[in-house]
Amino acid sequence: MSFSSEVKAELSRQVSSGRHCQIAEAAAIFIMCGQVSANGESISVRIENPDVGKKFCILLKRAFKMTPQAEGKGGTSLYVVRGKEEVGRFLQTVKLSGEDGSFQEREDLISGMVVQNACCKRAFIRGAFLAGGSISNPQKGYHLEIVCDSAGRAGQLKAMIGSFGIEAKTVLRKRYHVVYMKEGNQIVDMLRIMEAHLALMELENIRILKEMRGCVNRKVNCETANINKTVSAAVEQIHDILYIRDKVGFDKLPESLEEIAVARLEQPEATLKELGDSLTPPVGKSGVNHRLRKLKELAKTLRDEEESL
């Protein structure tokens, strides 16, 4: 089972105790993937995920005292409610009917009257995700999205999510408008809003492990870079010292430079501190660095003189 299916299975097992929240969630599922027949005598909702289908049936039974019939074969099921009176009652409750009681499609998702309270907004967002959303495997990356069929609906859903402090984005994908988020902390907050607590803990555990691995990798890379830098510097220093030895000999050097030159040749892998500690008397890192820099300048002078001949 994919992580997205696990999240939907968890959300499908949770049914709000308040009827107003049940209405909001059922309305979201219907709006995202439902339709009303031309004669207004039936409503149908096409749902691929069986857990979501069961959840929709439970919501209709508890909030509307309706028992939809499940039809269809294969992976997709059609949930149908028949009867003009029942259809009219449903549409009126979710504020999708006109003055004559007939279905009235909205440019946005839902009337503000259905989602007045924060709990109802949570339920509506949950229903929208169940019907038209998906979430990627957090082991591979962070991405949560809900697909809407119009810019107005995507805009209202984005604003509803934004009311909880989450800055979702929208993008046009073919003929659909997608509300999405790609930050791990945003997706954690989204799961908290929808009350998918088990999925939230799993995602947080994965995030912690990924951050720990990233931290270790950064430290290793940093240490490796420092080692490479130290080795490269030592190789260059030894190259200069050997050139000076072969050209003029160490006996022509000041005692301090001869001492550090010999120490570097004897300890090619030593750090500046280790080199300084090996001298008598010991010399600090800055002192060692100063002497090595003098040797480098001398080697450059000798090379320049050789090239000028």
Side-chain angles (χ1 to χ4, degrees):
M1 182 184 290
S2 68
F3 185 70
S4 190
S5 296
E6 290 178 4
V7 174
K8 290 190 176 184
E10 180 183 354
L11 293 176
S12 295
R13 291 191 296 270
Q14 177 188 323
V15 180
S16 301
S17 57
R19 182 172 180 265
H20 44 88
C21 293
Q22 296 168 6
I23 291 171
E25 191 167 355
I29 296 173
F30 171 74
I31 291 166
M32 297 296 289
C33 52
Q35 62 181 10
V36 181
S37 63
N39 60 12
E41 294 185 355
S42 68
I43 57 173
S44 57
V45 177
R46 190 174 298 277
I47 301 174
E48 295 183 4
N49 187 303
D51 292 320
V52 179
K54 292 176 184 177
K55 173 74 174 288
F56 182 65
C57 291
I58 292 171
L59 291 171
L60 287 187
K61 288 177 181 178
R62 294 193 181 182
F64 300 91
K65 307 302 181 185
M66 297 177 180
T67 303
Q69 296 177 336
E71 302 175 359
K73 298 179 180 179
T76 303
S77 294
L78 191 67
Y79 298 87
V80 183
V81 174
R82 293 184 173 87
K84 197 158 189 174
E85 183 179 337
E86 288 188 313
V87 170
R89 180 160 53 86
F90 175 82
L91 295 177
Q92 184 178 18
T93 303
V94 298
K95 310 303 179 188
L96 290 175
S97 61
E99 294 181 0
D100 59 353
S102 61
F103 174 60
Q104 183 175 334
E105 192 166 3
R106 302 175 59 92
E107 292 186 6
D108 56 5
L109 281 168
I110 192 69
S111 166
M113 296 177 65
V114 180
V115 288
Q116 292 184 66
N117 304 320
C119 58
C120 296
K121 287 187 175 73
R122 289 176 185 271
F124 189 91
I125 292 170
R126 181 167 57 241
F129 175 80
L130 285 171
S134 64
I135 182 171
S136 64
N137 183 346
Q139 295 279 13
K140 299 179 180 179
Y142 302 125
H143 183 89
L144 183 150
E145 66 176 41
I146 302 175
V147 180
C148 301
D149 57 10
S150 73
R153 293 184 170 188
Q156 187 184 21
L157 182 59
K158 176 185 175 183
M160 199 178 299
I161 294 171
S163 68
F164 292 97
I166 301 176
E167 189 177 350
K169 297 181 180 179
T170 58
V171 64
L172 179 63
R173 185 187 299 159
K174 296 183 179 179
R175 63 186 183 89
Y176 295 102
H177 296 261
V178 181
V179 180
Y180 73 95
M181 53 204 70
K182 299 179 75 69
E183 299 292 333
N185 60 329
Q186 293 178 327
I187 296 174
V188 166
D189 289 340
M190 186 71 166
L191 292 175
R192 185 179 293 110
I193 288 168
M194 296 189 297
E195 299 177 294
H197 303 301
L198 295 178
L200 187 154
M201 286 189 289
E202 183 178 351
L203 177 56
E204 283 286 50
N205 287 336
I206 292 171
R207 286 182 70 202
I208 291 170
L209 288 174
K210 289 175 75 172
E211 288 176 5
M212 288 177 62
R213 291 193 193 104
C215 182
V216 170
N217 288 337
R218 284 192 296 273
K219 287 184 177 179
V220 169
N221 291 339
C222 182
E223 290 176 2
T224 301
N226 289 336
I227 291 171
N228 290 337
K229 185 178 178 181
T230 300
V231 170
S232 298
V235 169
E236 186 176 340
Q237 291 158 7
I238 291 171
H239 186 66
D240 289 339
I241 291 168
L242 291 175
Y243 182 79
I244 293 170
R245 184 195 66 184
D246 295 341
K247 289 297 292 183
V248 299
F250 287 163
D251 56 332
K252 299 292 180 62
L253 296 176
E255 183 180 348
S256 61
L257 296 187
E258 180 183 359
E259 186 182 25
I260 196 65
V262 172
R264 173 48 88 195
L265 292 179
E266 292 176 348
Q267 305 174 70
E269 297 180 358
T271 64
L272 296 183
K273 184 179 186 307
E274 290 168 343
L275 280 179
D277 291 342
S278 70
L279 301 179
T280 306
V283 178
K285 285 175 60 177
S286 60
V288 172
N289 191 48
H290 175 74
R291 295 182 186 188
L292 290 171
R293 191 164 59 248
K294 286 292 185 182
L295 290 172
K296 180 176 182 179
E297 291 171 357
L298 176 58
K300 183 179 184 305
T301 299
L302 293 173
R303 290 190 180 100
D304 291 343
E305 290 176 353
E306 183 178 15
E307 290 175 2
S308 64
L309 294 177

